[in-house]
Amino acid sequence: MKTNIINSIAVAVLAGGFFACKPDNAGKNGGSEIAGDAAQKVYVAPGKHDEFYNIVSGGFNGQLSVVGLPSGRVFRIIPVFSQFAENGWGYSEETKPMLNTSHGFVPWDDSHHVALSTTNGEHDGRWAFINGNNTPRIARVSLSTFRTDEIIELPNSGGNHSSPFITANTEYAVAGTRFSVPPDANADVPISSFKQNFKGYISFVSIDKTTGHMGVKFQLKTPGVSFDLARAGKGKSDGWFFFSCYNTEQAASLLEVNASQKDKDFILAVNWKKAEEYLAQGKGKKEAAKYAHNIYDEKTHSATSTILTEVMTLDPKECPGMLYFMPCPKSPHGCDVDPTGSYIVGSGKLAAVIPVFSFDKMQKAIAAKTFDGDFDGIPVLKYDAVLHGEVKKPGLGPLHTEFDGQGNAITSFFVSSELVKWNIEKLEVLDRVPTYYSVGHLCIPGGPTAKPHGKYVIAYNKITKDRYLPTGPELTQSAQLYDISGDKMKLLLDFPTIGEPHYAEAIPASLVEKNTKKIFKLEENNHPYVAKGEKETKVVRKGNEVHVYMTSIRSHFTPDNIEGVKMGDEVFFHVTNLEQDWDVPHGFAVRGAQNAEILIMPGETSTLRWKPTKVGVTPMYCTDFCSALHQEMQGYVRVSPAGSSVPLTWGTGKTPTAEAEKKTANAKPKLNTPKVAMK
């Protein structure tokens, strides 16, 4: 134990040294490692498009950002697990169900890892998946609308860091728990009973190949360890999954010491095809669980949330040949599979080497039962029997590895603040470049797939220091773009990021642009409160609920004057954007609303709930600049005291009161005149 404490201190001292003593070529103006033609290589001329979309996790803001490469320009923030006032995500009545969980409404999460859908191991441009770490969830985002379409909660999970990772044909999104916990159905046990009662569940979430709809197909009930990162096999290793795991000491306190005792932890190899066989044989057991499944419907423009109450589990002790451990030094973090599926790369945070495992050797060791005992009933393969080799002295603090498609790997090193390029077969270091500073994840376009596109690598750094203008105690997080098209990596660009990014995947724009959805067709709008034209607008009272069937079009609302709302009422503005032209959204906001605005896309219906807080006339207006007369796109709602006899009236172009007087005088209304609700 004393030796491990000393090692930990040594790592900390090294880290402090690298923070305090920057590389000689660092500084405000960059250094000699910057390519001489950097500006030309990242310049995207006006009217031209970037070559790649970079889909970046938002870390503690629970969102995704969409960045162009090579420019580094941010195009969009996609709200996923966090409420987003810019467009009303999680505030509108239609999107609130997306943030429902077994704990109730949870409007935040900690999002780390992006996974893009693949076919035959290659990006196909359909969906992006992202994890919620804090309240364990997986979300699916459409790359047609750049919206979150589905969120599913994961039962029996203490934290969803090791997630989501996608199989070669997007059959599954797979998630391992970060914090082993007792099963949901038997959760009240002493913390001291960790080894006996805590389990590390791995969830296999099925994905429909046409709709993308998800479901927890089964969970593996593994020993109580912490799963970190994972990759699916591909090519010859398709049908397998590989997870790095730490805390094989099964400690529950002071993990920085107690979970760093062993020289080697494990990479867990999962034969998920065999798991499916066991399911078909009836080996699965249903366990009680409670978790939410939320789906957004593009036809109704509304979400539904369903609470599920059971999950299918498989116990490895009853399913031999399904799981194997491979020893991996030390406290492994990253776990990556090369494009051919032949090699599995482990990255021990406290290791001085990078171990590379051979899938072929693993298969031979399994067949020959070349085991080094077992861990809680799961066979442990002998290290030398499965090892392709070790990259010697590559750097300090290896974390993550991606591949350039040319037989090489690039690994990030947190402590020594660098990216290191090495050859997979020969295990030789080929190049290294400094990062600024303390790089975490890295991203190569197509890097985790069977067909990397290479060309660039992006370093996502945890520390910024002097790279940007200061903004108080906290600086923006830093991303750095390197050219990897030649033998040597060359720094091209620094650009700030949104939130604290963890992982990102980059995909050729050509795979996504062609499928972009430009409008929602009005004739296909099945929202229950849609008004497909101004003649369909109305205001309806249901007890103390007032439902406004409203339309928006450049540059007015219908209706834009409403009277007869009373204190104690709840008003639901159901706004349909009648535009059928690309990039013409309309916003809607009411003074005093205690939520946010809503932003309505062409052909879409969205609802803002408003509970008046005082008597008087309240303005409402469009928040998204839509035309030269955008400022004129406004209206008024009159709120009267509870019990008032003011009738419910509405209109556009003429005041509701005048119309009510005409009604009272039995004046015949003309075409397109405002309507008066019947009591």
Side-chain angles (χ1 to χ4, degrees):
M1 181 173 178
K2 183 177 180 181
T3 301
N4 281 285
I5 293 174
I6 292 172
N7 288 340
S8 297
I9 293 172
V11 170
V13 170
L14 284 167
F18 276 95
F19 292 157
C21 303
K22 302 185 295 256
D24 292 339
N25 55 3
K28 295 180 180 178
N29 297 317
S32 59
E33 84 289 350
I34 297 177
D37 57 352
Q40 180 180 348
K41 287 192 172 184
V42 301
Y43 178 67
V44 178
K48 300 296 182 182
H49 292 181
D50 279 278
E51 185 178 358
F52 295 97
Y53 285 98
N54 196 24
I55 313 298
V56 188
S57 72
F60 45 65
N61 72 15
Q63 300 165 349
L64 288 172
S65 57
V66 182
V67 179
L69 296 177
S71 71
R73 299 177 295 189
V74 177
F75 298 138
R76 178 161 299 282
I77 305 299
I78 304 174
V80 183
F81 301 110
S82 297
Q83 288 178 297
F84 195 52
E86 180 179 304
N87 60 17
W89 177 260
Y91 292 103
S92 73
E93 297 304 297
E94 289 81 3
T95 60
K96 283 179 182 178
M98 294 297 286
L99 302 183
N100 188 43
T101 74
S102 62
H103 306 275
F105 184 75
V106 178
W108 171 84
D109 217 313
D110 182 21
S111 298
H112 285 207
H113 302 122
V114 178
L116 302 185
S117 59
T118 54
T119 300
N120 296 325
E122 299 179 19
H123 283 153
D124 57 28
R126 293 181 294 165
W127 304 301
F129 299 85
I130 181 73
N131 67 322
N133 184 23
N134 182 65
T135 304
R137 290 173 279 181
I138 292 176
R140 177 176 57 85
V141 176
S142 166
L143 292 182
S144 171
T145 61
F146 286 83
R147 283 183 169 182
T148 303
D149 277 353
E150 189 173 9
I151 297 176
I152 192 166
E153 192 178 1
L154 301 178
N156 296 317
S157 179
N160 185 35
H161 177 261
S162 183
S163 165
F165 301 100
I166 306 298
T167 52
N169 285 292
T170 317
E171 299 98 337
Y172 294 103
V174 185
T177 185
R178 173 179 177 179
F179 311 104
S180 286
V181 291
D184 289 352
N186 186 30
D188 185 17
V189 298
I191 297 174
S192 60
S193 68
F194 189 106
K195 291 185 179 182
Q196 293 76 36
N197 293 316
F198 286 48
K199 296 296 179 182
Y201 281 83
I202 296 177
S203 302
F204 278 74
V205 178
S206 62
I207 302 165
D208 184 271
K209 63 181 180 181
T210 302
T211 65
H213 285 176
M214 301 186 293
V216 181
K217 183 72 172 292
F218 62 93
Q219 292 187 314
L220 304 181
K221 190 188 297 186
T222 75
V225 298
S226 294
F227 292 107
D228 209 327
L229 295 178
R231 286 292 181 201
K234 58 178 78 77
K236 63 171 57 181
S237 57
D238 187 21
W240 287 79
F241 229 99
F242 305 94
F243 285 85
S244 62
C245 49
Y246 62 101
N247 192 23
T248 55
E249 296 85 353
Q250 298 183 304
S253 177
L254 196 62
L255 264 65
E256 65 173 328
V257 173
N258 294 325
S260 300
Q261 299 295 302
K262 296 182 178 180
D263 289 334
K264 289 184 176 67
D265 287 286
F266 296 125
I267 285 176
L268 176 65
V270 178
N271 186 339
W272 61 265
K273 291 286 189 181
K274 186 168 285 292
E276 288 185 326
E277 291 176 9
Y278 281 124
L279 279 178
Q281 295 168 12
K283 295 286 188 178
K285 294 181 180 178
K286 290 183 179 179
E287 294 186 5
K290 184 180 179 182
Y291 57 104
H293 186 194
N294 311 327
I295 301 176
Y296 187 86
D297 186 337
E298 279 191 10
K299 299 297 184 183
T300 63
H301 306 289
S302 302
T304 56
S305 180
T306 304
I307 297 295
L308 304 175
T309 57
E310 62 182 16
V311 65
M312 184 69 74
T313 63
L314 287 172
D315 190 336
K317 293 180 180 179
E318 300 173 4
C319 304
M322 188 172 63
L323 303 184
Y324 298 92
F325 280 123
M326 297 191 295
C328 182
K330 176 176 186 183
S331 297
H333 185 53
C335 180
D336 298 281
V337 178
D338 87 306
T340 69
S342 300
Y343 300 108
I344 303 101
V345 179
S347 296
K349 300 189 294 290
L350 304 181
V353 299
I354 298 176
V356 181
F357 302 97
S358 164
F359 180 75
D360 288 339
K361 286 187 175 182
M362 187 191 84
Q363 293 297 296
K364 290 179 181 178
I366 291 171
K369 296 185 177 180
T370 311
F371 301 150
D372 193 7
D374 69 87
F375 183 85
D376 200 8
I378 297 174
V380 177
L381 300 168
K382 286 189 176 180
Y383 182 68
D384 291 339
V386 296
L387 187 70
H388 168 61
E390 297 175 338
V391 183
K392 303 292 186 181
K393 297 181 180 180
L396 296 174
L399 293 185
H400 305 284
T401 299
E402 294 224 334
F403 306 92
D404 66 0
Q406 304 299 316
N408 304 312
I410 299 176
T411 300
S412 60
F413 289 81
F414 179 82
V415 177
S416 52
S417 289
E418 59 183 335
L419 298 179
V420 176
K421 178 180 177 180
W422 50 277
N423 182 269
I424 302 168
E425 283 286 347
K426 297 179 180 179
L427 305 172
E428 295 175 352
V429 172
L430 304 175
D431 189 27
R432 62 179 72 237
V433 290
T435 61
Y436 306 100
Y437 308 92
S438 297
V439 58
H441 279 277
L442 76 165
C443 167
I444 294 174
T449 73
K451 185 182 178 181
H453 305 286
K455 197 165 187 178
Y456 304 111
V457 63
I458 307 97
Y460 292 97
N461 306 323
K462 301 302 183 184
I463 308 296
T464 303
K465 295 295 185 187
D466 57 3
R467 302 303 286 186
Y468 305 113
L469 289 172
T471 52
E474 184 186 20
L475 302 179
T476 181
Q477 265 71 34
S478 168
Q480 295 186 297
L481 180 75
Y482 296 80
D483 180 355
I484 61 170
S485 59
D487 292 335
K488 298 295 183 180
M489 297 179 283
K490 297 179 180 179
L491 179 60
L492 299 179
L493 180 69
D494 285 18
F495 60 93
T497 64
I498 306 297
E500 183 205 2
H502 287 258
Y503 184 55
E505 285 198 29
I507 184 171
S510 59
L511 290 177
V512 177
E513 278 187 295
K514 61 185 179 182
N515 298 321
T516 295
K517 194 175 190 73
K518 297 183 177 180
I519 64 169
F520 296 99
K521 295 180 180 179
L522 268 174
E523 62 269 23
E524 296 178 357
N525 185 331
N526 294 324
H527 192 286
Y529 292 96
V530 65
K532 296 185 180 181
E534 293 186 359
K535 292 181 181 181
E536 297 181 14
T537 60
K538 57 186 175 181
V539 182
V540 176
R541 175 177 289 280
K542 296 179 181 179
N544 69 336
E545 291 184 359
V546 176
H547 292 268
V548 182
Y549 294 68
M550 179 180 282
T551 61
S552 62
I553 195 166
R554 289 168 285 184
S555 295
H556 65 274
F557 295 110
T558 302
D560 66 1
N561 277 204
I562 302 170
E563 296 189 14
V565 174
K566 303 172 186 179
M567 290 296 295
D569 284 345
E570 286 186 305
V571 183
F572 295 85
F573 293 96
H574 309 288
V575 186
T576 301
N577 182 348
L578 297 181
E579 307 284 357
Q580 292 289 268
D581 194 7
W582 191 19
D583 197 28
V584 189
H586 287 295
F588 180 81
V590 182
R591 186 185 68 175
Q594 296 178 334
N595 37 31
E597 66 150 5
I598 53 175
L599 197 62
I600 313 105
M601 296 301 112
E604 182 183 31
T605 301
S606 188
T607 302
L608 182 71
R609 173 183 172 272
W610 176 59
K611 190 166 185 176
T613 57
K614 64 180 181 179
V615 170
V617 176
T618 297
M620 55 187 180
Y621 67 103
C622 177
T623 56
D624 191 292
F625 202 99
C626 53
S627 73
L629 296 176
H630 166 72
Q631 289 293 99
E632 285 74 14
M633 193 168 177
Q634 64 179 53
Y636 294 99
V637 182
R638 177 186 173 187
V639 180
S640 299
S644 168
S645 61
V646 175
L648 188 62
T649 57
W650 65 92
T652 299
K654 296 182 180 180
T655 62
T657 304
E659 289 301 302
E661 290 172 352
K662 286 184 179 181
K663 283 283 186 181
T664 303
N666 295 317
K668 186 177 180 180
K670 296 180 180 180
L671 187 64
N672 292 330
T673 55
K675 299 177 181 179
V676 180
M678 299 295 292
K679 285 192 174 181

